[in-house]
């Protein structure tokens, strides 16, 4: 294992783990088409076994997950909804020890963990589900921070490539898949998050026993955002010669933002917030 965990009474990670990251930095920075690394045998397996034992049941209602052409049968579980030991694990992922490890792997200093775990936590893709290739949202509105690093830790025992759900990394021009990673138990994938770091798991989950694909998802930020940048939500991409769906809703919103003056856009957003609030009150 790369990182040894300790008693939950005192947090899961010793401060000394930070230094372990330096041995992976050169490999991380030189990876193509964007900085990333795959680390097998990442944590104590006992900790991940606990994650599996106490992983929440899939909601009975499909309305609780993502159900659209670009991301289907995908569910997220926030750390605050989990058991005390698992909440402690996620709080430890935000500790200086673990953040220091990520800084030393990536070479990016001043990383900031997200106490809100926006979009993070436990992820599950059920049988038949998938997540198309995309670039992630780049701005944390509540904190005013730039998203920089994704960390994924997989929880799938005895998973094979033919079971679908493999993590794919694509080049910036979306011409070809540069790397395909089986989401095997205790494998960590860490990578730079940018508007051109295209990734996803587009092949539908197809486990012979109907098991879902499960993972821990963690995101880290820096205080490097400025007014010259343009915030965007998840940007889905279409693979060549595939049946992937073009995300027309996102593209239309981008076109509107390009052609409308900033003052008008602020007025539209304010009106949308008022309408949402009125609907919520009426309900």
């Amino acid at each position: 294992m790369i990182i040894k965990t300790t008693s939950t009474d005192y947090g899961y990670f010793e401060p000394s783990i930070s230094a372990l990251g330096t041995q992976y930095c050169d490999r991380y920075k030189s990876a193509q088409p964007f900085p990333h690394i795959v680390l097998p045998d990442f944590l104590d397996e006992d900790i991940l076994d606990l994650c599996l034992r106490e992983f929440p049941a899939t909601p009975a209602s499909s309305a609780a997950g993502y159900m659209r052409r670009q991301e289907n049968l995908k569910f997220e579980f926030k750390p605050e909804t989990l058991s005390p030991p698992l909440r402690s694990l996620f709080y430890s992922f935000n500790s200086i020890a673990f953040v220091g490890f990520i800084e030393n792997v990536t070479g990016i200093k001043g990383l900031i963990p997200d106490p809100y775990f926006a979009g993070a936590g436990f992820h599950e893709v059920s049988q038949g589900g998938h997540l198309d290739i995309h670039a992630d949202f780049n701005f944390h509105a509540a904190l005013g921070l730039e998203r920089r690093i994704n960390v994924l830790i997989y929880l799938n025992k005895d998973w094979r490539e033919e079971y679908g759900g493999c993590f794919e990394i694509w080049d910036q021009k979306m011409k070809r898949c540069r790397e395909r990673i089986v989401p095997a138990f205790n494998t960590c994938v860490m990578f730079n998050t940018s508007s051109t770091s295209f990734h996803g798991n587009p092949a539908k989950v197809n486990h012979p026993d109907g098991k879902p694909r499960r993972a821990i998802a963690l995101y880290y930020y820096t205080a490097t955002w400025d007014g010259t940048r343009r915030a965007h939500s998840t940007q889905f991409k279409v693979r060549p010669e595939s049946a992937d769906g073009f995300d027309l809703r996102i593209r239309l919103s981008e076109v509107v933002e390009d052609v409308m003056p900033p003052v008008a856009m602020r007025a539209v957003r304010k009106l949308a917030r008022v309408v949402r609030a009125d609907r919520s009150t009426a309900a």
Side-chain angles (χ1 to χ4, degrees):
M1 86 196 63
I2 292 172
I3 296 179
K4 183 172 177 58
T5 53
T6 57
S7 168
T8 60
D9 293 338
Y10 308 104
Y12 279 89
F13 304 121
E14 294 287 355
S16 59
I17 72 166
S18 294
L20 296 175
T22 56
Q23 62 186 297
Y24 303 104
C25 189
D26 289 343
R27 179 151 59 103
Y28 181 92
K29 287 183 175 181
S30 62
Q32 297 295 327
F34 51 82
H36 70 277
I37 197 167
V38 181
L39 299 171
D41 196 24
F42 188 59
L43 297 177
D44 285 339
E45 290 193 359
D46 287 348
I47 299 303
L48 300 188
D49 284 335
L50 175 66
C51 290
L52 285 176
R53 286 197 304 272
E54 301 194 5
F55 203 100
T58 305
S61 171
S62 61
Y66 293 89
M67 306 291 161
R68 59 180 180 142
R69 191 171 181 183
Q70 290 79 23
E71 48 185 337
N72 191 35
L73 295 171
K74 178 174 176 285
F75 301 89
E76 297 175 0
F77 303 91
K78 293 291 186 184
E80 63 265 24
T81 68
L82 305 177
S83 67
L86 294 185
R87 290 201 303 271
S88 180
L89 174 62
F90 276 92
Y91 301 156
S92 294
F93 285 136
N94 279 4
S95 68
I96 187 61
F98 193 78
V99 173
F101 173 81
I102 299 171
E103 288 184 332
N104 284 329
V105 172
T106 64
I108 299 175
K109 300 302 181 181
L111 286 177
I112 301 171
D114 177 16
Y116 298 96
F117 292 100
F122 277 159
H123 285 188
E124 176 180 295
V125 181
S126 297
Q127 186 83 337
H130 71 284
L131 175 62
D132 280 352
I133 301 301
H134 62 281
D136 290 309
F137 71 84
N138 62 347
F139 179 62
H140 194 309
L143 299 178
L145 300 177
E146 179 181 3
R147 184 167 168 178
R148 299 296 299 278
I149 297 295
N150 282 18
V151 176
L152 304 172
I153 305 169
Y154 292 112
L155 302 173
N156 311 295
K157 291 192 174 183
D158 303 315
W159 200 270
R160 300 179 181 178
E161 185 172 355
E162 57 265 32
Y163 296 168
C166 288
F167 181 81
E168 296 186 5
I169 290 174
W170 281 68
D171 60 38
Q172 292 187 12
K173 294 183 178 180
M174 283 298 297
K175 297 295 185 183
R176 66 186 180 97
C177 176
R178 295 290 298 273
E179 191 167 355
R180 182 176 291 106
I181 300 153
V182 176
F185 184 75
N186 207 7
T187 297
C188 173
V189 179
M190 187 183 307
F191 60 97
N192 278 23
T193 309
S194 74
S195 298
T196 56
S197 57
F198 299 129
H199 63 280
N201 44 283
K204 291 182 179 180
V205 174
N206 185 34
H207 193 282
D209 297 324
K211 293 181 179 180
R213 174 194 191 271
R214 289 173 167 173
I216 295 168
L218 307 163
Y219 310 135
Y220 299 89
Y221 302 79
T222 54
T224 48
W225 191 265
D226 62 62
T228 66
R229 304 285 302 281
R230 172 174 165 173
H232 62 69
S233 59
T234 303
Q235 307 287 290
F236 287 100
K237 295 293 181 178
V238 175
R239 293 171 297 164
E241 300 179 4
S242 75
D244 296 347
F246 183 72
D247 196 343
L248 184 60
R249 177 178 57 85
I250 294 295
R251 184 57 188 147
L252 285 175
S253 67
E254 291 176 345
V255 170
V256 169
E257 189 165 342
D258 284 339
V259 300
M260 290 185 69
V263 172
M265 278 304 302
R266 285 194 291 270
V268 169
R269 293 192 184 105
K270 182 177 181 180
L271 178 60
R273 288 194 295 269
V274 171
V275 170
R276 287 195 295 269
D278 288 344
R279 288 177 177 172
S280 177
T281 303

